[in-house]
Amino acid sequence: MALQALHEFVKGPSASHESEAITGGRGLYLPPEAGAEVSELLSAESVAEMTAGVVELRNLMPGGDLFHSSVLALMCGTLVENGADPGAAIDATMDLFLEVLDALAEQPDEMVRAAGQLTFMATMTMLSRSKETRKRWRAHPRIIERLDDLEDSQLVPWFLREIFTLHDDLELLVLDPKNRRAFEFRLTGVRDRLYHAYALLQDALLQHTGPGYLDAEPVDPAVVRYARNHALTQAEFEARTLLDHQRFNFTFPGGLFMPGSGSPFELPLHDGRRVLVVEPKGIHFGWNPADMYGIAHQALKASADLTRELDPAAAEALLARCGLT
């Protein structure tokens, strides 16, 4: 498609009635010719056609009007929600996202706020589906700085900062000094609160070792599905009545316990991997999943994957090196 009308639209200046329609909740305004081109793009049925549409929209974004570029980003996000490859426009969307954050910090007028509403939705849609992109953009030096600057402004929704602090492909050693066992895990899409990691680790560890390991109580399947963000109903998605608690004592070598409110980055390192110790439960700690690992987007999948259990000799050597004799 030539997308001539959309090209003229994105390069032209935004009008106040366009942004007022967004901030006033009346929806998106497009000139008729541009609207017809969008309708044709959104009518694509195959993943290949939808992804090609995202690429065409992405190519129109650089150098365009801030608000109009945000309209294109939203359309890209809509196609991604329908099945298009999230990587097709993520870098262009992230460049726009930073531009919007800068504008919000400098001159948050109605046009900029409206651009933010559109860009934020597209950003969340794409990052929720792309672990590698989250990892790459998490390291961007200005992202967290800008989000911190805007934290109290109420101009940026809470979930955007959360997705830039998720742990993806974080390697974790889980040591059991009582049974002289050691396990390697990889955390993906896990929030920066150990409560979330604990909920996923408990389930994965008990599935591997069998019921009653370290005298642990069974996990609650509803809580595990919530922690994974897997196949939730709308009622479950909105529920704040679930409660969870630790089945093991979680600590670290030389420690008494590791608070679930802490970050995985607070765990000690051993050969580049974070180290967590599990023991039979002593003190009872509970939490509300909606507070501690509430869902930022329905497409975001979290997991704690057991990559391997060390053989007995390797486990014994590792436990000794960590002072767990």
Side-chain angles (χ1 to χ4, degrees):
M1 291 180 63
L3 301 183
Q4 184 60 40
L6 274 173
H7 175 80
E8 294 174 2
F9 168 76
V10 74
K11 301 304 179 186
S14 298
S16 59
H17 70 273
E18 297 176 75
S19 58
E20 289 168 359
I22 296 297
T23 57
R26 297 190 300 278
L28 184 64
Y29 167 82
L30 285 173
E33 296 83 359
E37 291 179 350
V38 169
S39 295
E40 185 173 350
L41 285 171
L42 296 181
S43 67
E45 296 182 357
S46 72
V47 171
E49 288 175 330
M50 287 186 282
T51 301
V54 170
V55 171
E56 289 187 86
L57 292 167
R58 176 202 70 195
N59 291 341
L60 296 179
M61 289 168 60
D65 173 274
L66 181 66
F67 176 76
H68 287 165
S69 294
S70 298
V71 171
L72 296 189
L74 179 69
M75 295 171 191
C76 289
T78 301
L79 286 166
V80 168
E81 288 280 9
N82 291 336
D85 180 358
I90 186 60
D91 286 328
T93 302
M94 290 304 303
D95 288 339
L96 179 63
F97 174 73
L98 266 176
E99 189 179 347
V100 169
L101 290 183
D102 288 341
L104 284 170
E106 296 164 8
Q107 187 181 2
D109 59 22
E110 186 170 48
M111 193 73 72
V112 171
R113 292 197 303 273
Q117 288 185 35
L118 302 178
T119 304
F120 296 160
M121 288 188 284
T123 301
M124 194 67 189
T125 290
M126 296 177 195
L127 289 180
S128 295
R129 290 170 166 84
S130 178
K131 174 185 69 174
E132 295 304 323
T133 303
R134 292 199 301 268
K135 289 164 58 179
R136 183 158 48 87
W137 280 91
R138 175 179 178 144
H140 195 289
R142 283 173 50 208
I143 291 284
I144 293 297
E145 178 184 345
R146 270 298 187 213
L147 291 172
D148 285 345
D149 291 343
L150 293 164
E151 186 174 6
D152 297 326
S153 68
Q154 298 184 335
L155 295 172
V156 180
W158 67 270
F159 54 73
L160 275 172
R161 195 183 192 286
E162 288 290 328
I163 204 162
F164 287 108
T165 59
L166 291 176
H167 296 279
D168 288 302
D169 288 339
L170 179 70
E171 294 186 343
L172 182 68
L173 288 170
V174 176
L175 309 181
D176 169 11
K178 180 179 179 180
N179 295 302
R180 315 307 290 172
R181 296 173 75 171
F183 312 88
E184 291 182 349
F185 283 88
R186 180 177 291 112
L187 305 182
T188 300
V190 174
R191 291 181 72 181
D192 195 38
R193 297 177 183 85
L194 280 166
Y195 287 115
H196 195 193
Y198 291 168
L200 295 165
L201 287 167
Q202 290 175 161
D203 175 60
L205 194 54
L206 287 170
Q207 284 196 44
H208 175 70
T209 59
Y213 184 65
L214 289 172
D215 303 321
E217 308 161 51
V219 297
D220 181 344
V223 170
V224 174
R225 283 198 304 111
Y226 193 99
R228 290 178 181 165
N229 192 19
H230 176 67
L232 299 182
T233 66
Q234 188 63 33
E236 289 172 322
F237 184 80
E238 297 172 351
R240 297 188 60 86
T241 56
L242 284 175
L243 294 175
D244 199 8
H245 63 274
Q246 96 278 9
R247 270 64 177 179
F248 308 107
N249 181 52
F250 292 103
T251 183
F252 52 89
L256 294 177
F257 70 96
M258 183 65 195
S261 57
S263 166
F265 279 168
E266 295 176 38
L267 294 171
L269 280 168
H270 179 81
D271 291 339
R273 295 171 291 185
R274 301 288 165 177
V275 179
L276 185 67
V277 174
V278 289
E279 303 168 333
K281 186 175 77 171
I283 303 172
H284 181 88
F285 286 96
W287 57 86
N288 183 332
D291 291 334
M292 297 306 169
Y293 41 90
I295 299 157
H297 191 285
Q298 288 176 308
L300 181 64
K301 304 304 178 191
S303 65
D305 298 309
L306 178 66
T307 54
R308 70 169 177 142
E309 178 175 358
L310 276 65
D311 64 60
E316 192 61 48
L318 178 58
L319 288 160
R321 289 199 302 273
C322 291
L324 299 168
T325 57

